[in-house]
Amino acid sequence: MDETSHRARIDQLVEPGERVLAHALAEVGGGLTPPPPPDDVAPDAPGRRTVASVLLNLLVPLATWHGGDRLVDLIGWGTAGRGAPGSAASRLHRALNPARPDGKVRHTLLAVTDRRLLVCVTGAVKVLSNREDDERALAETRVAWSAPRAEVASARVGWHRLNPKRLRIDFTDGSWLAFTVPIAESGRPLRAVAAALSA
């Protein structure tokens, strides 16, 4: 899918009179992210169970436990977001990573308009896709989360470990979430999103 196709679909998703300033295809950065909103939190027993889950996660990577996953993310990738349960970053992350995923891969599309920040999700994508598959995924793109521009405190693109193209979006409630693109892709769209949000 090319940039023109993304822009055309975003133009269909915005409200009448709303002007798109920038957009970028990106994914939530790897690492520790904000906890889910309070209504999505599953009870987690602290103590020895968490230590055991961390050890099992390291010994058996295909087996996953919440506590072990979070520690491995922190060590391997660092922090990709912070915020209290129910904060803007927490709600955004949950919108992109639902509690009961269907196992299908979707891309995330950020868009900044003169009124709000839109975070869109494409339809399911295939690893070896053809033009029809790409068009179908694009046609199924929907707005997963949005926030008024007033809720965004700042946005900037900078280095994080070995990736020079990490977009950090800070919200007025003190939470933040990071987005990245693969190393081989241009960081120009992310910088355009950051500039549009900071203007």
Side-chain angles (χ1 to χ4, degrees):
M1 288 183 266
D2 60 26
E3 294 289 318
T4 312
S5 302
H6 292 139
R7 177 58 191 266
R9 180 61 181 146
I10 293 168
D11 286 339
Q12 295 170 354
L13 295 172
V14 298
E15 297 170 354
E18 193 171 13
R19 192 167 47 95
V20 178
L21 305 175
H23 71 282
L25 194 61
E27 300 299 328
V28 173
L32 199 61
T33 54
D39 56 338
D40 285 349
V41 175
D44 189 19
R48 284 189 283 171
R49 184 173 168 186
T50 302
V51 172
S53 70
V54 169
L55 291 173
L56 283 170
N57 191 286
L58 293 172
L59 295 173
V60 186
L62 296 178
T64 60
W65 291 272
H66 181 69
D69 288 346
R70 287 184 65 84
L71 183 62
V72 170
D73 284 347
L74 178 62
I75 293 168
W77 298 98
T79 304
R82 286 221 167 115
S87 64
S90 169
R91 289 180 283 116
L92 170 53
H93 187 258
R94 177 55 74 199
L96 295 174
N97 297 287
R100 289 171 290 285
D102 62 6
K104 296 181 180 176
V105 176
R106 291 173 171 79
H107 292 302
T108 303
L109 186 58
L110 305 173
V112 181
T113 73
D114 53 352
R115 300 178 194 171
R116 56 194 173 137
L117 166 64
L118 299 173
V119 182
C120 304
V121 176
T122 67
V125 295
K126 296 180 180 179
V127 176
L128 299 172
S129 63
N130 57 33
R131 185 176 176 151
E132 291 81 27
D133 293 333
D134 290 345
E135 288 173 356
R136 181 197 41 76
L138 189 61
E140 293 175 6
T141 299
R142 61 179 175 77
V143 176
W145 188 85
S146 69
R149 295 279 302 271
E151 285 187 29
V152 177
S154 66
R156 62 188 175 280
V157 175
W159 277 86
H160 177 71
R161 299 198 175 181
L162 297 176
N163 191 342
K165 298 169 283 194
R166 186 170 95 149
L167 170 65
R168 176 176 160 158
I169 300 176
D170 290 273
F171 298 97
T172 54
D173 63 4
S175 65
W176 62 273
L177 194 62
F179 293 86
T180 61
V181 294
I183 296 288
E185 292 185 18
S186 172
R188 186 175 299 144
L190 287 183
R191 287 190 290 275
V193 166
L197 284 171
S198 300

